[in-house]
Amino acid sequence: MSFTLTTPSGFWNPLLWLIFLALFAIVAYLIYSRGNPSYKKESDQVKPYLSGNIEPTKEKVQVKAGDIYWGFIEALKGYYTVLQTMHTGDIRDYILWYLGVGAIITFILIGGV
């Protein structure tokens, strides 16, 4: 009994996929079994190596969201100041902008201008 589904672009055989999955699982287990047996999770082996320096507290190394985007926002400061003046916080304004810009794009695409 064949479970092969043939299409113009190839074929699909679930039994073949299961065989490949089993082979990959065996290879993964062989790689895993060759690991270092002396590794212990509850020891100093799990600490990061920081060139002999002690690990700082989480509060000192935590990157805040404002720091992540600082360079991006600083580089586009002129653009963001314009956006901040347009920002009202009212959802009706955003819907109006969405509909207006959508209508302009639709007219340009349909009209071919």
Side-chain angles (χ1 to χ4, degrees), residues 10-111:
F11 67 94
W12 168 259
N13 188 339
L15 190 59
L16 191 62
W17 276 101
L18 288 175
I19 292 170
F20 279 127
L21 181 65
L23 284 174
F24 289 138
I26 291 169
V27 169
Y29 179 73
L30 289 174
I31 292 171
Y32 173 75
S33 66
R34 303 255 318 144
N36 188 355
S38 66
Y39 175 75
K40 296 175 186 65
K41 284 187 178 179
E42 291 80 24
S43 66
D44 286 342
Q45 293 177 342
V46 297
K47 289 186 179 179
Y49 179 71
L50 300 173
S51 301
N53 298 321
I54 56 173
E55 184 179 3
T57 62
K58 298 294 180 199
E59 291 81 23
K60 288 185 179 180
V61 295
Q62 182 179 11
V63 179
K64 298 184 179 39
D67 296 338
I68 293 173
Y69 297 108
W70 176 84
F72 183 73
I73 292 172
E74 195 64 31
L76 298 171
K77 192 171 211 133
Y79 174 71
Y80 280 120
T81 54
V82 171
L83 284 182
Q84 285 176 344
T85 57
M86 292 172 30
H87 177 70
T88 61
D90 188 3
I91 191 70
R92 294 173 294 183
D93 290 339
Y94 300 128
I95 293 172
L96 182 64
W97 274 103
Y98 179 75
L99 293 174
V101 171
I104 290 171
I105 292 172
T106 304
F107 289 142
I108 289 173
L109 291 176
I110 291 175

